[in-house]
Amino acid sequence: MTVAHQNPEPQPGGISIGTMHGGAVAQGSHAQAVNVSQGAADTSELRDAVTALREELRRLGELEAQLTAAEADIAQTGQIEPSRLAWLRDRIAVGATAATGLAAAGQAAEQLARLIGGQG
């Protein structure tokens, strides 16, 4: 957390902060300062989640391209090219692919939330 506030003259009984990187500040007799910033985070799980998400999105892109081509085949000839039909049949785990992609996105979001101090 970076707080940049210019207050050249502290007010009586107050706090003046020029620049602050991390940490916590409290003022007053019953004030409490809580620092929730994290040190160097282990990003290996985030890297793995981002890699998995990228792979799933790439697969979904391939599926979309083949479905678009299948639509064009049907519009032009009334049928789908047999090799494309076989490819689609083998991958029409559309629901499974999409679910896997969403799971990968969820994992990436969880890791990102942890890195920025969210609940994840």
Side-chain angles (χ1 to χ4, degrees):
M1 172 175 90
T2 301
V3 176
H5 176 73
Q6 293 184 349
N7 185 1
E9 296 295 323
Q11 300 301 312
I15 297 174
S16 177
I17 299 173
T19 302
M20 181 173 168
H21 299 278
V25 176
Q27 174 194 8
S29 60
H30 293 51
Q32 292 182 319
V34 178
N35 180 3
V36 295
S37 59
Q38 300 175 5
D42 176 13
T43 58
S44 61
E45 288 183 29
L46 175 60
R47 182 194 63 233
D48 294 345
V50 167
T51 299
L53 176 58
R54 286 183 61 237
E55 182 64 21
E56 290 307 320
L57 291 174
R58 184 187 64 75
R59 287 184 187 141
L60 287 173
E62 290 174 9
L63 181 60
E64 181 181 2
Q66 289 295 328
L67 290 170
T68 300
E71 286 176 331
D73 286 350
I74 293 168
Q76 291 175 358
T77 66
Q79 354 180 15
I80 299 176
E81 182 182 312
S83 61
R84 179 170 287 117
L85 190 58
W87 189 94
L88 287 169
R89 181 197 63 221
D90 291 344
R91 287 163 184 84
I92 277 284
V94 175
T97 300
T100 301
L102 290 174
Q107 289 173 346
E110 182 179 324
Q111 293 303 318
L112 287 167
R114 286 183 187 161
L115 283 175
I116 61 172
Q119 293 182 348

